[in-house]
Amino acid sequence: MHLAEETRKETVIEKSRFIACAVRIASEAQAREYIARIRREYPDATHVCTAWQLSAPVEAQRSSDDREPAGTAGRPMLEALLSSGVTDACVCVVRYFGGIKLGAGGLIRAYAGAVTGCLAAAAKLRDVTFLSWRLEYPYSLSGRLETWLRTHTVEPQFHYGEQVACEFLTETDITQTILDLTRGEAAPVRLGQTVREVSVDGTEPT
């Protein structure tokens, strides 16, 4: 899964503010630019701890505790990112110290929990392989087919000439369904396939 947009979520633990920020990235340079932007935005923060992960072209990941005790911030944040199922993302957690020390265990839970909560709240996209089709049929079948195509396929595009032609996407092979609907009078031609991003909550390509 990928993040659809930058997401932020704030939590308060023992008077310390933790502001988790997450964004999709495509390179290490983008991760560094985002981290620099967050640090400029919160210049008075006690800590800005970070973690990022890339899946391609080469698997890569980094994390930083930013002066928190070693292993209490960056690594737990990275582990929370990796376990979330979200890939190609950079997360920053801005901390404003509230005067009460959390201890190593408390810091680990706070930083990991901040990332987990932020990513859970974020709008996400998933990669889906769509099959692309072209279907030509006589006007006599329009009443039977057009409503079905508009309801059961993605991005149907109709063209009206001597016959009706429709190009559309589906996630599954619908050849037999079309043959059944038209009693064998029309059959779709498969054009190929394409990978598209869709909302985790829906099936419309973005």
mmCIF file with all atom_site columns, all heavy atoms in Angstrom, residues 89-113:
data_model
loop_
_atom_site.group_PDB
_atom_site.id
_atom_site.type_symbol
_atom_site.label_atom_id
_atom_site.label_alt_id
_atom_site.label_comp_id
_atom_site.label_asym_id
_atom_site.label_entity_id
_atom_site.label_seq_id
_atom_site.pdbx_PDB_ins_code
_atom_site.Cartn_x
_atom_site.Cartn_y
_atom_site.Cartn_z
_atom_site.occupancy
_atom_site.B_iso_or_equiv
_atom_site.pdbx_formal_charge
_atom_site.auth_seq_id
_atom_site.auth_comp_id
_atom_site.auth_asym_id
_atom_site.auth_atom_id
_atom_site.pdbx_PDB_model_num
ATOM 1   N N   . ALA A 1 89  ? 7.553  5.233  2.139  1.00 0.00 ? 89  ALA A N   1
ATOM 2   C CA  . ALA A 1 89  ? 7.039  6.306  2.997  1.00 0.00 ? 89  ALA A CA  1
ATOM 3   C C   . ALA A 1 89  ? 8.125  6.812  3.927  1.00 0.00 ? 89  ALA A C   1
ATOM 4   O O   . ALA A 1 89  ? 9.060  6.092  4.288  1.00 0.00 ? 89  ALA A O   1
ATOM 5   C CB  . ALA A 1 89  ? 5.849  5.826  3.812  1.00 0.00 ? 89  ALA A CB  1
ATOM 6   N N   . CYS A 1 90  ? 7.977  8.068  4.317  1.00 0.00 ? 90  CYS A N   1
ATOM 7   C CA  . CYS A 1 90  ? 8.838  8.694  5.315  1.00 0.00 ? 90  CYS A CA  1
ATOM 8   C C   . CYS A 1 90  ? 7.952  9.159  6.462  1.00 0.00 ? 90  CYS A C   1
ATOM 9   O O   . CYS A 1 90  ? 6.909  9.772  6.228  1.00 0.00 ? 90  CYS A O   1
ATOM 10  C CB  . CYS A 1 90  ? 9.578  9.878  4.705  1.00 0.00 ? 90  CYS A CB  1
ATOM 11  S SG  . CYS A 1 90  ? 10.625 10.786 5.886  1.00 0.00 ? 90  CYS A SG  1
ATOM 12  N N   . VAL A 1 91  ? 8.354  8.840  7.684  1.00 0.00 ? 91  VAL A N   1
ATOM 13  C CA  . VAL A 1 91  ? 7.607  9.272  8.861  1.00 0.00 ? 91  VAL A CA  1
ATOM 14  C C   . VAL A 1 91  ? 8.519  10.077 9.776  1.00 0.00 ? 91  VAL A C   1
ATOM 15  O O   . VAL A 1 91  ? 9.692  9.758  9.957  1.00 0.00 ? 91  VAL A O   1
ATOM 16  C CB  . VAL A 1 91  ? 6.996  8.076  9.636  1.00 0.00 ? 91  VAL A CB  1
ATOM 17  C CG1 . VAL A 1 91  ? 5.903  7.416  8.827  1.00 0.00 ? 91  VAL A CG1 1
ATOM 18  C CG2 . VAL A 1 91  ? 8.068  7.061  10.001 1.00 0.00 ? 91  VAL A CG2 1
ATOM 19  N N   . CYS A 1 92  ? 7.979  11.140 10.324 1.00 0.00 ? 92  CYS A N   1
ATOM 20  C CA  . CYS A 1 92  ? 8.682  11.967 11.309 1.00 0.00 ? 92  CYS A CA  1
ATOM 21  C C   . CYS A 1 92  ? 7.779  12.081 12.530 1.00 0.00 ? 92  CYS A C   1
ATOM 22  O O   . CYS A 1 92  ? 6.567  12.234 12.389 1.00 0.00 ? 92  CYS A O   1
ATOM 23  C CB  . CYS A 1 92  ? 8.949  13.369 10.767 1.00 0.00 ? 92  CYS A CB  1
ATOM 24  S SG  . CYS A 1 92  ? 9.930  13.444 9.260  1.00 0.00 ? 92  CYS A SG  1
ATOM 25  N N   . VAL A 1 93  ? 8.376  12.010 13.695 1.00 0.00 ? 93  VAL A N   1
ATOM 26  C CA  . VAL A 1 93  ? 7.624  12.261 14.921 1.00 0.00 ? 93  VAL A CA  1
ATOM 27  C C   . VAL A 1 93  ? 8.296  13.417 15.649 1.00 0.00 ? 93  VAL A C   1
ATOM 28  O O   . VAL A 1 93  ? 9.451  13.329 16.078 1.00 0.00 ? 93  VAL A O   1
ATOM 29  C CB  . VAL A 1 93  ? 7.535  11.030 15.831 1.00 0.00 ? 93  VAL A CB  1
ATOM 30  C CG1 . VAL A 1 93  ? 6.828  11.399 17.140 1.00 0.00 ? 93  VAL A CG1 1
ATOM 31  C CG2 . VAL A 1 93  ? 6.789  9.899  15.133 1.00 0.00 ? 93  VAL A CG2 1
ATOM 32  N N   . VAL A 1 94  ? 7.551  14.514 15.745 1.00 0.00 ? 94  VAL A N   1
ATOM 33  C CA  . VAL A 1 94  ? 8.017  15.722 16.422 1.00 0.00 ? 94  VAL A CA  1
ATOM 34  C C   . VAL A 1 94  ? 7.632  15.611 17.897 1.00 0.00 ? 94  VAL A C   1
ATOM 35  O O   . VAL A 1 94  ? 6.467  15.380 18.211 1.00 0.00 ? 94  VAL A O   1
ATOM 36  C CB  . VAL A 1 94  ? 7.368  16.961 15.797 1.00 0.00 ? 94  VAL A CB  1
ATOM 37  C CG1 . VAL A 1 94  ? 7.826  18.226 16.521 1.00 0.00 ? 94  VAL A CG1 1
ATOM 38  C CG2 . VAL A 1 94  ? 7.664  17.028 14.302 1.00 0.00 ? 94  VAL A CG2 1
ATOM 39  N N   . ARG A 1 95  ? 8.595  15.776 18.774 1.00 0.00 ? 95  ARG A N   1
ATOM 40  C CA  . ARG A 1 95  ? 8.287  15.708 20.204 1.00 0.00 ? 95  ARG A CA  1
ATOM 41  C C   . ARG A 1 95  ? 8.576  17.038 20.877 1.00 0.00 ? 95  ARG A C   1
ATOM 42  O O   . ARG A 1 95  ? 9.647  17.627 20.704 1.00 0.00 ? 95  ARG A O   1
ATOM 43  C CB  . ARG A 1 95  ? 9.107  14.620 20.900 1.00 0.00 ? 95  ARG A CB  1
ATOM 44  C CG  . ARG A 1 95  ? 8.725  14.482 22.392 1.00 0.00 ? 95  ARG A CG  1
ATOM 45  C CD  . ARG A 1 95  ? 9.661  13.572 23.160 1.00 0.00 ? 95  ARG A CD  1
ATOM 46  N NE  . ARG A 1 95  ? 9.224  13.404 24.544 1.00 0.00 ? 95  ARG A NE  1
ATOM 47  C CZ  . ARG A 1 95  ? 9.949  12.829 25.493 1.00 0.00 ? 95  ARG A CZ  1
ATOM 48  N NH1 . ARG A 1 95  ? 11.144 12.336 25.219 1.00 0.00 ? 95  ARG A NH1 1
ATOM 49  N NH2 . ARG A 1 95  ? 9.481  12.743 26.731 1.00 0.00 ? 95  ARG A NH2 1
ATOM 50  N N   . TYR A 1 96  ? 7.594  17.473 21.661 1.00 0.00 ? 96  TYR A N   1
ATOM 51  C CA  . TYR A 1 96  ? 7.786  18.595 22.579 1.00 0.00 ? 96  TYR A CA  1
ATOM 52  C C   . TYR A 1 96  ? 7.743  18.022 23.989 1.00 0.00 ? 96  TYR A C   1
ATOM 53  O O   . TYR A 1 96  ? 6.702  17.534 24.442 1.00 0.00 ? 96  TYR A O   1
ATOM 54  C CB  . TYR A 1 96  ? 6.683  19.638 22.390 1.00 0.00 ? 96  TYR A CB  1
ATOM 55  C CG  . TYR A 1 96  ? 6.848  20.469 21.143 1.00 0.00 ? 96  TYR A CG  1
ATOM 56  C CD1 . TYR A 1 96  ? 6.258  20.080 19.943 1.00 0.00 ? 96  TYR A CD1 1
ATOM 57  C CD2 . TYR A 1 96  ? 7.592  21.644 21.154 1.00 0.00 ? 96  TYR A CD2 1
ATOM 58  C CE1 . TYR A 1 96  ? 6.408  20.842 18.785 1.00 0.00 ? 96  TYR A CE1 1
ATOM 59  C CE2 . TYR A 1 96  ? 7.752  22.416 20.006 1.00 0.00 ? 96  TYR A CE2 1
ATOM 60  C CZ  . TYR A 1 96  ? 7.155  22.007 18.829 1.00 0.00 ? 96  TYR A CZ  1
ATOM 61  O OH  . TYR A 1 96  ? 7.308  22.754 17.687 1.00 0.00 ? 96  TYR A OH  1
ATOM 62  N N   . PHE A 1 97  ? 8.884  18.039 24.673 1.00 0.00 ? 97  PHE A N   1
ATOM 63  C CA  . PHE A 1 97  ? 8.999  17.435 25.996 1.00 0.00 ? 97  PHE A CA  1
ATOM 64  C C   . PHE A 1 97  ? 8.107  18.162 26.999 1.00 0.00 ? 97  PHE A C   1
ATOM 65  O O   . PHE A 1 97  ? 8.113  19.384 27.086 1.00 0.00 ? 97  PHE A O   1
ATOM 66  C CB  . PHE A 1 97  ? 10.457 17.487 26.447 1.00 0.00 ? 97  PHE A CB  1
ATOM 67  C CG  . PHE A 1 97  ? 10.708 16.862 27.793 1.00 0.00 ? 97  PHE A CG  1
ATOM 68  C CD1 . PHE A 1 97  ? 10.320 15.568 28.073 1.00 0.00 ? 97  PHE A CD1 1
ATOM 69  C CD2 . PHE A 1 97  ? 11.343 17.589 28.798 1.00 0.00 ? 97  PHE A CD2 1
ATOM 70  C CE1 . PHE A 1 97  ? 10.557 14.996 29.309 1.00 0.00 ? 97  PHE A CE1 1
ATOM 71  C CE2 . PHE A 1 97  ? 11.597 17.029 30.040 1.00 0.00 ? 97  PHE A CE2 1
ATOM 72  C CZ  . PHE A 1 97  ? 11.199 15.727 30.299 1.00 0.00 ? 97  PHE A CZ  1
ATOM 73  N N   . GLY A 1 98  ? 7.357  17.359 27.760 1.00 0.00 ? 98  GLY A N   1
ATOM 74  C CA  . GLY A 1 98  ? 6.401  17.937 28.696 1.00 0.00 ? 98  GLY A CA  1
ATOM 75  C C   . GLY A 1 98  ? 6.860  17.973 30.133 1.00 0.00 ? 98  GLY A C   1
ATOM 76  O O   . GLY A 1 98  ? 6.101  18.347 31.031 1.00 0.00 ? 98  GLY A O   1
ATOM 77  N N   . GLY A 1 99  ? 8.108  17.547 30.378 1.00 0.00 ? 99  GLY A N   1
ATOM 78  C CA  . GLY A 1 99  ? 8.636  17.636 31.737 1.00 0.00 ? 99  GLY A CA  1
ATOM 79  C C   . GLY A 1 99  ? 8.638  16.334 32.503 1.00 0.00 ? 99  GLY A C   1
ATOM 80  O O   . GLY A 1 99  ? 9.200  16.263 33.593 1.00 0.00 ? 99  GLY A O   1
ATOM 81  N N   . ILE A 1 100 ? 8.000  15.304 31.966 1.00 0.00 ? 100 ILE A N   1
ATOM 82  C CA  . ILE A 1 100 ? 7.960  14.003 32.646 1.00 0.00 ? 100 ILE A CA  1
ATOM 83  C C   . ILE A 1 100 ? 8.712  12.988 31.796 1.00 0.00 ? 100 ILE A C   1
ATOM 84  O O   . ILE A 1 100 ? 8.367  12.768 30.627 1.00 0.00 ? 100 ILE A O   1
ATOM 85  C CB  . ILE A 1 100 ? 6.512  13.533 32.861 1.00 0.00 ? 100 ILE A CB  1
ATOM 86  C CG1 . ILE A 1 100 ? 5.747  14.537 33.728 1.00 0.00 ? 100 ILE A CG1 1
ATOM 87  C CG2 . ILE A 1 100 ? 6.490  12.141 33.507 1.00 0.00 ? 100 ILE A CG2 1
ATOM 88  C CD1 . ILE A 1 100 ? 4.281  14.213 33.889 1.00 0.00 ? 100 ILE A CD1 1
ATOM 89  N N   . LYS A 1 101 ? 9.740  12.369 32.323 1.00 0.00 ? 101 LYS A N   1
ATOM 90  C CA  . LYS A 1 101 ? 10.504 11.371 31.582 1.00 0.00 ? 101 LYS A CA  1
ATOM 91  C C   . LYS A 1 101 ? 9.687  10.094 31.425 1.00 0.00 ? 101 LYS A C   1
ATOM 92  O O   . LYS A 1 101 ? 9.031  9.643  32.368 1.00 0.00 ? 101 LYS A O   1
ATOM 93  C CB  . LYS A 1 101 ? 11.829 11.086 32.290 1.00 0.00 ? 101 LYS A CB  1
ATOM 94  C CG  . LYS A 1 101 ? 12.793 12.276 32.283 1.00 0.00 ? 101 LYS A CG  1
ATOM 95  C CD  . LYS A 1 101 ? 14.132 11.918 32.895 1.00 0.00 ? 101 LYS A CD  1
ATOM 96  C CE  . LYS A 1 101 ? 15.101 13.096 32.819 1.00 0.00 ? 101 LYS A CE  1
ATOM 97  N NZ  . LYS A 1 101 ? 16.424 12.759 33.406 1.00 0.00 ? 101 LYS A NZ  1
ATOM 98  N N   . LEU A 1 102 ? 9.768  9.496  30.244 1.00 0.00 ? 102 LEU A N   1
ATOM 99  C CA  . LEU A 1 102 ? 8.962  8.305  29.954 1.00 0.00 ? 102 LEU A CA  1
ATOM 100 C C   . LEU A 1 102 ? 9.726  7.006  30.147 1.00 0.00 ? 102 LEU A C   1
ATOM 101 O O   . LEU A 1 102 ? 9.120  5.939  30.209 1.00 0.00 ? 102 LEU A O   1
ATOM 102 C CB  . LEU A 1 102 ? 8.435  8.375  28.510 1.00 0.00 ? 102 LEU A CB  1
ATOM 103 C CG  . LEU A 1 102 ? 7.565  9.579  28.160 1.00 0.00 ? 102 LEU A CG  1
ATOM 104 C CD1 . LEU A 1 102 ? 7.110  9.482  26.713 1.00 0.00 ? 102 LEU A CD1 1
ATOM 105 C CD2 . LEU A 1 102 ? 6.378  9.675  29.095 1.00 0.00 ? 102 LEU A CD2 1
ATOM 106 N N   . GLY A 1 103 ? 11.056 7.088  30.216 1.00 0.00 ? 103 GLY A N   1
ATOM 107 C CA  . GLY A 1 103 ? 11.844 5.866  30.298 1.00 0.00 ? 103 GLY A CA  1
ATOM 108 C C   . GLY A 1 103 ? 11.945 5.218  28.928 1.00 0.00 ? 103 GLY A C   1
ATOM 109 O O   . GLY A 1 103 ? 11.194 5.532  28.000 1.00 0.00 ? 103 GLY A O   1
ATOM 110 N N   . ALA A 1 104 ? 12.886 4.281  28.800 1.00 0.00 ? 104 ALA A N   1
ATOM 111 C CA  . ALA A 1 104 ? 13.131 3.658  27.498 1.00 0.00 ? 104 ALA A CA  1
ATOM 112 C C   . ALA A 1 104 ? 11.883 2.973  26.954 1.00 0.00 ? 104 ALA A C   1
ATOM 113 O O   . ALA A 1 104 ? 11.503 3.156  25.790 1.00 0.00 ? 104 ALA A O   1
ATOM 114 C CB  . ALA A 1 104 ? 14.285 2.666  27.602 1.00 0.00 ? 104 ALA A CB  1
ATOM 115 N N   . GLY A 1 105 ? 11.239 2.175  27.801 1.00 0.00 ? 105 GLY A N   1
ATOM 116 C CA  . GLY A 1 105 ? 10.034 1.468  27.351 1.00 0.00 ? 105 GLY A CA  1
ATOM 117 C C   . GLY A 1 105 ? 8.916  2.423  26.962 1.00 0.00 ? 105 GLY A C   1
ATOM 118 O O   . GLY A 1 105 ? 8.222  2.212  25.957 1.00 0.00 ? 105 GLY A O   1
ATOM 119 N N   . GLY A 1 106 ? 8.767  3.472  27.736 1.00 0.00 ? 106 GLY A N   1
ATOM 120 C CA  . GLY A 1 106 ? 7.726  4.459  27.435 1.00 0.00 ? 106 GLY A CA  1
ATOM 121 C C   . GLY A 1 106 ? 7.988  5.182  26.130 1.00 0.00 ? 106 GLY A C   1
ATOM 122 O O   . GLY A 1 106 ? 7.062  5.459  25.356 1.00 0.00 ? 106 GLY A O   1
ATOM 123 N N   . LEU A 1 107 ? 9.267  5.496  25.869 1.00 0.00 ? 107 LEU A N   1
ATOM 124 C CA  . LEU A 1 107 ? 9.614  6.166  24.615 1.00 0.00 ? 107 LEU A CA  1
ATOM 125 C C   . LEU A 1 107 ? 9.351  5.258  23.422 1.00 0.00 ? 107 LEU A C   1
ATOM 126 O O   . LEU A 1 107 ? 8.805  5.693  22.401 1.00 0.00 ? 107 LEU A O   1
ATOM 127 C CB  . LEU A 1 107 ? 11.080 6.593  24.631 1.00 0.00 ? 107 LEU A CB  1
ATOM 128 C CG  . LEU A 1 107 ? 11.438 7.768  25.535 1.00 0.00 ? 107 LEU A CG  1
ATOM 129 C CD1 . LEU A 1 107 ? 12.946 7.963  25.577 1.00 0.00 ? 107 LEU A CD1 1
ATOM 130 C CD2 . LEU A 1 107 ? 10.749 9.046  25.062 1.00 0.00 ? 107 LEU A CD2 1
ATOM 131 N N   . ILE A 1 108 ? 9.744  4.002  23.536 1.00 0.00 ? 108 ILE A N   1
ATOM 132 C CA  . ILE A 1 108 ? 9.516  3.048  22.444 1.00 0.00 ? 108 ILE A CA  1
ATOM 133 C C   . ILE A 1 108 ? 8.027  2.959  22.115 1.00 0.00 ? 108 ILE A C   1
ATOM 134 O O   . ILE A 1 108 ? 7.614  3.023  20.958 1.00 0.00 ? 108 ILE A O   1
ATOM 135 C CB  . ILE A 1 108 ? 10.088 1.669  22.803 1.00 0.00 ? 108 ILE A CB  1
ATOM 136 C CG1 . ILE A 1 108 ? 11.619 1.725  22.826 1.00 0.00 ? 108 ILE A CG1 1
ATOM 137 C CG2 . ILE A 1 108 ? 9.595  0.600  21.827 1.00 0.00 ? 108 ILE A CG2 1
ATOM 138 C CD1 . ILE A 1 108 ? 12.275 0.483  23.393 1.00 0.00 ? 108 ILE A CD1 1
ATOM 139 N N   . ARG A 1 109 ? 7.213  2.825  23.161 1.00 0.00 ? 109 ARG A N   1
ATOM 140 C CA  . ARG A 1 109 ? 5.758  2.728  22.941 1.00 0.00 ? 109 ARG A CA  1
ATOM 141 C C   . ARG A 1 109 ? 5.198  4.021  22.361 1.00 0.00 ? 109 ARG A C   1
ATOM 142 O O   . ARG A 1 109 ? 4.319  4.000  21.489 1.00 0.00 ? 109 ARG A O   1
ATOM 143 C CB  . ARG A 1 109 ? 5.054  2.379  24.259 1.00 0.00 ? 109 ARG A CB  1
ATOM 144 C CG  . ARG A 1 109 ? 5.302  0.952  24.733 1.00 0.00 ? 109 ARG A CG  1
ATOM 145 C CD  . ARG A 1 109 ? 4.414  0.600  25.918 1.00 0.00 ? 109 ARG A CD  1
ATOM 146 N NE  . ARG A 1 109 ? 4.736  1.395  27.115 1.00 0.00 ? 109 ARG A NE  1
ATOM 147 C CZ  . ARG A 1 109 ? 5.663  1.059  27.994 1.00 0.00 ? 109 ARG A CZ  1
ATOM 148 N NH1 . ARG A 1 109 ? 6.378  -0.046 27.833 1.00 0.00 ? 109 ARG A NH1 1
ATOM 149 N NH2 . ARG A 1 109 ? 5.894  1.814  29.062 1.00 0.00 ? 109 ARG A NH2 1
ATOM 150 N N   . ALA A 1 110 ? 5.712  5.151  22.827 1.00 0.00 ? 110 ALA A N   1
ATOM 151 C CA  . ALA A 1 110 ? 5.196  6.439  22.372 1.00 0.00 ? 110 ALA A CA  1
ATOM 152 C C   . ALA A 1 110 ? 5.514  6.676  20.901 1.00 0.00 ? 110 ALA A C   1
ATOM 153 O O   . ALA A 1 110 ? 4.629  7.064  20.109 1.00 0.00 ? 110 ALA A O   1
ATOM 154 C CB  . ALA A 1 110 ? 5.773  7.567  23.225 1.00 0.00 ? 110 ALA A CB  1
ATOM 155 N N   . TYR A 1 111 ? 6.758  6.451  20.507 1.00 0.00 ? 111 TYR A N   1
ATOM 156 C CA  . TYR A 1 111 ? 7.142  6.718  19.120 1.00 0.00 ? 111 TYR A CA  1
ATOM 157 C C   . TYR A 1 111 ? 6.517  5.703  18.155 1.00 0.00 ? 111 TYR A C   1
ATOM 158 O O   . TYR A 1 111 ? 6.021  6.077  17.086 1.00 0.00 ? 111 TYR A O   1
ATOM 159 C CB  . TYR A 1 111 ? 8.665  6.732  18.980 1.00 0.00 ? 111 TYR A CB  1
ATOM 160 C CG  . TYR A 1 111 ? 9.276  8.042  19.419 1.00 0.00 ? 111 TYR A CG  1
ATOM 161 C CD1 . TYR A 1 111 ? 9.880  8.178  20.661 1.00 0.00 ? 111 TYR A CD1 1
ATOM 162 C CD2 . TYR A 1 111 ? 9.242  9.151  18.583 1.00 0.00 ? 111 TYR A CD2 1
ATOM 163 C CE1 . TYR A 1 111 ? 10.443 9.393  21.072 1.00 0.00 ? 111 TYR A CE1 1
ATOM 164 C CE2 . TYR A 1 111 ? 9.796  10.370 18.974 1.00 0.00 ? 111 TYR A CE2 1
ATOM 165 C CZ  . TYR A 1 111 ? 10.386 10.482 20.211 1.00 0.00 ? 111 TYR A CZ  1
ATOM 166 O OH  . TYR A 1 111 ? 10.923 11.704 20.610 1.00 0.00 ? 111 TYR A OH  1
ATOM 167 N N   . ALA A 1 112 ? 6.544  4.428  18.540 1.00 0.00 ? 112 ALA A N   1
ATOM 168 C CA  . ALA A 1 112 ? 5.923  3.420  17.678 1.00 0.00 ? 112 ALA A CA  1
ATOM 169 C C   . ALA A 1 112 ? 4.421  3.654  17.582 1.00 0.00 ? 112 ALA A C   1
ATOM 170 O O   . ALA A 1 112 ? 3.823  3.560  16.502 1.00 0.00 ? 112 ALA A O   1
ATOM 171 C CB  . ALA A 1 112 ? 6.207  2.016  18.213 1.00 0.00 ? 112 ALA A CB  1
ATOM 172 N N   . GLY A 1 113 ? 3.808  3.988  18.709 1.00 0.00 ? 113 GLY A N   1
ATOM 173 C CA  . GLY A 1 113 ? 2.367  4.215  18.712 1.00 0.00 ? 113 GLY A CA  1
ATOM 174 C C   . GLY A 1 113 ? 1.965  5.436  17.905 1.00 0.00 ? 113 GLY A C   1
ATOM 175 O O   . GLY A 1 113 ? 0.927  5.449  17.241 1.00 0.00 ? 113 GLY A O   1
#
